[in-house]
Amino acid sequence: MANKPAPYVITCGDEGVQINHGTRLSFVGAGYELPGFSQAVKILKKILDPKIKIASNQENDWIRKKMNLTDWDQTNASAQQQIEALADQEGLLYVGYLPFADPRKLKYDIKGHMVRPKKVHVANKICFTLGGGEQTYNLGCYQISADWVGSAPKKIVEQVILPQLEFYKKLSGIKLPLVYELAGVLGEKVAQKNLKALEKIGLKLSPFA
């Protein structure tokens, strides 16, 4: 009997988020107050799995900024509440919270944790997944799921992708090259279509070496 595929889980694209069991689909802030997120989720449910999961994480910079919070304790508590509410709103399954600790087994067969140093960002590039979520974890990458963009109108792609790029650039304070990963269950044809959709909104990307 074939192995059951690992469940898909939406997480923040923070480079510290590591999913040890599950396939990661990354959106800044796990999609909290991200324009166009609902449309992206609808497409991902259609092309990957109707029962996509979602996780919150410690030190979520996007949520801290969006909620004008001043400390991490507040942010960490708020992130859990907000992502659980977002799960209800979008028909996603909330799995729990990814901590700075050993890998934690969460609900719905998801396991993961935070692996970057606390209060420090080390990513030096932005990586787009194009073929069905994260295939290779890399601490040097802020990650963005673009596995759905070839099936979305250009306006929605811009709404979802561009604010994420802007945020990570500001967060890092350095120029971040854009790279992509084609591998995944969707296959190369779909991945290439997704790549073209990113190029249509003016992005210049290189293969992830």
Side-chain angles (χ1 to χ4, degrees):
M1 193 174 167
N3 286 338
K4 193 176 164 191
Y8 292 96
V9 58
I10 290 171
T11 73
C12 185
D14 185 305
E15 79 275 40
V17 173
Q18 184 176 46
I19 296 298
N20 305 89
H21 189 260
T23 300
R24 181 181 173 205
L25 300 164
S26 298
F27 293 84
V28 72
Y32 172 72
E33 286 197 4
L34 178 64
F37 178 66
S38 290
Q39 288 90 333
V41 167
K42 281 175 190 157
I43 296 168
L44 287 168
K45 284 182 179 180
K46 193 173 176 182
I47 63 175
L48 288 174
D49 183 359
K51 294 182 178 177
I52 292 175
K53 286 69 178 169
I54 189 169
S56 59
N57 63 282
Q58 268 190 284
E59 287 194 11
N60 194 310
D61 293 271
W62 173 269
I63 289 177
R64 182 174 176 173
K65 182 170 182 278
K66 286 284 178 185
M67 297 186 74
N68 291 314
L69 299 172
T70 53
D71 68 63
W72 285 121
D73 287 340
Q74 276 183 313
T75 304
N76 294 338
S78 296
Q80 294 178 70
Q81 293 164 358
Q82 296 301 333
I83 300 306
E84 191 163 11
L86 182 63
D88 289 342
Q89 185 184 310
E90 300 296 343
L92 300 163
L93 298 168
Y94 181 65
V95 302
Y97 180 61
L98 300 163
F100 284 96
D102 290 337
R104 178 176 288 179
K105 196 168 192 309
L106 304 174
K107 290 182 190 171
Y108 305 111
D109 209 21
I110 298 294
K111 187 178 183 182
H113 60 148
M114 295 291 291
V115 298
R116 65 167 166 79
K118 281 189 175 185
K119 299 178 185 172
V120 177
H121 286 284
V122 295
N124 58 10
K125 62 182 87 63
I126 295 173
C127 182
F128 290 89
T129 61
L130 301 176
E134 179 184 76
Q135 306 301 311
T136 310
Y137 173 74
N138 189 300
L139 186 59
C141 289
Y142 296 115
Q143 193 178 94
I144 298 175
S145 166
D147 310 277
W148 54 277
V149 296
S151 301
K154 183 181 176 186
K155 186 181 174 185
I156 298 296
V157 177
E158 288 175 334
Q159 276 183 351
V160 178
I161 300 297
L162 298 182
Q164 299 188 74
L165 292 179
E166 192 60 34
F167 181 75
Y168 290 132
K169 282 176 187 170
K170 280 185 181 168
L171 188 62
S172 65
I174 58 170
K175 190 174 180 186
L176 297 166
L178 307 181
V179 299
Y180 62 85
E181 185 176 46
L182 288 172
V185 296
L186 294 174
E188 187 160 352
K189 190 176 174 185
V190 172
Q192 289 286 357
K193 187 181 173 190
N194 289 330
L195 179 58
K196 283 188 172 60
L198 292 177
E199 290 170 344
K200 279 179 186 168
I201 64 165
L203 304 189
K204 291 179 177 155
L205 306 100
S206 309
F208 181 46

